[in-house]
């Protein structure tokens, strides 16, 4: 490629890989205008001319350690096709989204449609709480009482302590740890109650412009409605909820499940979740302290060890939140895993896999998730 300079050919300037390695922004390397160049053009004995381009312009966006690989500005060739083939071959309604956090691209299949979140929505509760802490409206050491009237259903390890002791008091910090790492429904609903209820979470989602992310009425009302029941606090004791659900007619249960799947009150799109994870990792949703704290909590998640995490090779790190809904006739109302995968070189990817309805068994669902995260790792750096 040639340019004309004072009537003579000018060889195009080739930027070195070292310069590219220092840039991690959508602006890439931006030359200063010619009129502002501090150095003069230099003519070699052969007559060619080299024009200085000035210093690269950098952004404050977090970037991976080491050189920027070719996948910074566009998805690696073949990754989108691999994701599409995995998505196409899997039975049922499935959404997949992948976004490079330290780059400029995102890809998805059914990425804009709403899928049931189930316990994935615990992330938005915690974000709302930490935002309130950042604003000085709450503290991490604030104490929250939990009594029998606050118990929910399904997975709630706190319930045993409440029934044994009559009530327990926990800090906001401990409730976050329990809600995220153990996916404790009562811990999550206690945080939700303390921060101001569902309206507070919805206000946070709107304030941060997170897009297609809904927040439901809380665990008790969500699960009761999905089953076709009206919540009663007695359902929080033992297996009373399961007994009441089993007493419903098959038609009632199926209609309630169909209504939920068609228009999930806690629905979110995979692409919106991937974008929110990207913004969290970049530090634009919370204060630096809260961002670091939450990522640490997500890295300790115990649920779903054979979902996305199991597809990543040694040396990769993963922080995530799972979500699993009720079963009806072998179909689960929401089977999800969302998280942030970090390559050994520090490059980060937001990965989201959500299943709204599928006839596939649990092993096949986990295998799909593993295949998606494995593909991201395989194509990294291409």
């Amino acid at each position: 490629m040639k340019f004309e300079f004072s009537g003579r050919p000018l060889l195009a300037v080739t930027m070195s890989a070292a310069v590219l390695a220092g840039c991690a922004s959508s602006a890439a390397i931006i030359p200063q205008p010619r009129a502002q160049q501090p150095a003069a053009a230099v003519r070699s004995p052969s007559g060619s001319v080299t024009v200085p381009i000035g210093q690269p312009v950098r952004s404050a966006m977090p970037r991976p350690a080491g050189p920027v690989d070719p996948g910074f500005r566009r998805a690696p060739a073949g990754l989108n096709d691999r994701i599409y083939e995995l998505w196409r071959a899997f039975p049922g309604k499935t959404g997949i989204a992948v976004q490079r956090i330290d780059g400029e691209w995102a890809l998805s299949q059914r990425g804009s449609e709403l899928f049931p979140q189930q316990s994935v929505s615990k992330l938005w509760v915690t974000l709302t709480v930490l935002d309130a802490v950042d604003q000085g409206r709450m503290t991490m050491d604030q104490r929250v009482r939990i009594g029998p009237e606050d118990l929910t259903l399904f997975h709630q390890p706190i319930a045993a302590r409440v029934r044994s002791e009559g009530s327990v008091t926990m800090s906001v910090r401990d409730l976050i740890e329990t809600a995220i790492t153990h996916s404790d429904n009562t811990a999550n609903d206690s945080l939700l109650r303390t921060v101001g209820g569902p309206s507070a979470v919805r206000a946070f989602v709107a304030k941060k412009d997170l897009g297609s992310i809904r927040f439901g009425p809380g665990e008790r009302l969500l699960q009761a409605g999905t089953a076709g029941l009206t919540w009663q606090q007695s359902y929080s004791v033992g297996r009373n909820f399961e007994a009441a659900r089993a007493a419903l007619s098959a038609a009632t249960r199926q209609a309630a499940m169909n209504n939920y799947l068609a228009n999930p009150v806690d629905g979110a799109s995979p692409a919106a979740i991937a974008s929110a994870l990207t913004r969290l990792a970049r530090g634009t949703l919370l204060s630096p302290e809260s961002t670091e704290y939450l990522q640490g909590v997500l890295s300790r998640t115990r649920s779903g060890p054979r979902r996305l995490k199991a597809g990543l090779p040694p040396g990769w790190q993963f922080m995530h939140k799972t979500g699993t809904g009720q079963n009806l006739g072998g179909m689960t109302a929401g089977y999800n895993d969302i998280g942030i995968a970090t390559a050994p070189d520090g490059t980060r990817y937001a990965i989201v896999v959500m299943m709204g309805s599928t006839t596939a068994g649990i092993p096949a669902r986990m295998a799909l998730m593993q295949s998606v995260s494995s593909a991201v790792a395989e194509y990294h750096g291409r």
Side-chain angles (χ1 to χ4, degrees):
M1 180 177 182
K2 296 184 178 181
F3 296 94
E4 291 299 320
F5 183 84
S6 300
R8 296 176 180 270
L10 171 62
L11 296 177
V13 179
T14 303
M15 290 180 281
S16 70
V19 175
L20 284 174
C23 176
S25 74
S26 59
I29 297 178
I30 306 175
Q32 298 179 14
R34 295 285 176 157
Q36 299 177 12
Q37 294 290 349
V42 178
R43 189 183 304 277
S44 71
S46 64
S48 64
V49 178
T50 301
V51 180
I53 63 172
Q55 297 298 314
V57 177
R58 308 169 191 260
S59 81
M61 188 180 79
R63 61 184 177 85
V68 175
D69 64 78
F72 175 77
R73 292 179 178 83
R74 46 96 182 131
L79 177 59
N80 189 63
D81 290 341
R82 173 73 65 82
I83 296 297
Y84 171 75
E85 289 301 323
L86 292 170
W87 172 83
R88 185 181 62 84
F90 194 78
K93 181 181 178 181
T94 303
I96 300 173
V98 178
Q99 183 165 348
R100 176 157 170 166
I101 293 170
D102 308 292
E104 300 176 340
W105 59 263
L107 57 86
S108 66
Q109 295 296 333
R110 228 166 187 162
S112 63
E113 297 185 32
L114 295 178
F115 289 79
Q117 294 185 78
Q118 295 295 320
S119 287
V120 164
S121 65
K122 288 180 171 69
L123 177 59
W124 319 124
V125 175
T126 294
L127 280 166
T128 304
V129 169
L130 291 175
D131 182 63
V133 170
D134 289 342
Q135 302 301 318
R137 294 184 282 108
M138 291 178 63
T139 69
M140 296 293 282
D141 296 322
Q142 184 173 328
R143 309 295 288 177
V144 178
R145 178 191 177 277
I146 305 170
E149 70 279 6
D150 301 313
L151 297 181
T152 59
L153 71 172
F154 299 149
H155 191 65
Q156 48 173 344
I158 287 177
R161 287 186 54 200
V162 172
R163 295 190 183 103
S164 173
E165 302 172 26
S167 68
V168 298
T169 302
M170 299 176 65
S171 68
V172 166
R173 179 181 288 102
D174 288 342
L175 285 173
I176 290 175
E177 185 79 21
T178 304
I180 297 295
T181 66
H182 295 272
S183 205
D184 188 303
N185 291 332
T186 292
N188 186 69
D189 269 16
S190 297
L191 286 170
L192 178 61
R193 181 179 69 255
T194 303
V195 81
S199 61
V201 179
R202 293 166 190 151
F204 172 83
V205 170
K207 179 179 74 171
K208 297 298 183 177
D209 194 23
L210 298 186
S212 298
I213 295 175
R214 294 177 175 177
F215 187 79
E219 198 67 34
R220 293 179 286 193
L221 297 183
L222 172 67
Q223 299 303 340
T226 303
L229 293 168
T230 300
W231 175 258
Q232 298 178 30
Q233 191 55 32
S234 62
Y235 291 162
S236 68
V237 179
R239 297 188 62 81
N240 287 351
F241 179 85
E242 288 83 350
R245 184 178 63 183
L248 295 173
S249 68
T252 297
R253 287 207 60 194
Q254 191 64 62
M257 180 68 79
N258 290 344
N259 289 337
Y260 172 62
L261 292 175
N263 188 25
V265 293
D266 66 335
S269 74
I273 293 178
S275 176
L277 290 173
T278 295
R279 291 175 61 187
L280 170 65
R282 289 178 177 177
T284 61
L285 292 182
L286 300 170
S287 69
E289 295 78 14
S290 291
T291 298
E292 181 179 7
Y293 166 76
L294 179 53
Q295 290 185 98
V297 174
L298 290 169
S299 71
R300 295 189 289 276
T301 293
R302 299 186 181 185
S303 60
R306 295 179 62 193
R307 298 190 190 186
L308 287 171
K309 185 175 184 178
L312 295 170
W316 284 67
Q317 298 177 349
F318 194 56
M319 57 186 77
H320 67 128
K321 185 70 195 78
T322 58
T324 306
Q326 298 180 53
N327 291 299
L328 180 60
M331 191 276 300
T332 305
Y335 192 87
N336 313 315
D337 200 7
I338 71 165
I340 297 170
T342 303
D345 66 2
T347 304
R348 300 170 295 177
Y349 299 90
I351 308 176
V352 176
V353 178
M354 307 182 77
M355 301 177 189
S357 60
T358 179
T359 57
I362 299 298
R365 300 176 198 179
M366 293 188 294
L368 171 65
M369 292 180 171
Q370 294 168 20
S371 295
V372 170
S373 56
S374 177
V376 172
E378 178 185 345
Y379 283 86
H380 169 62
R382 292 191 182 182

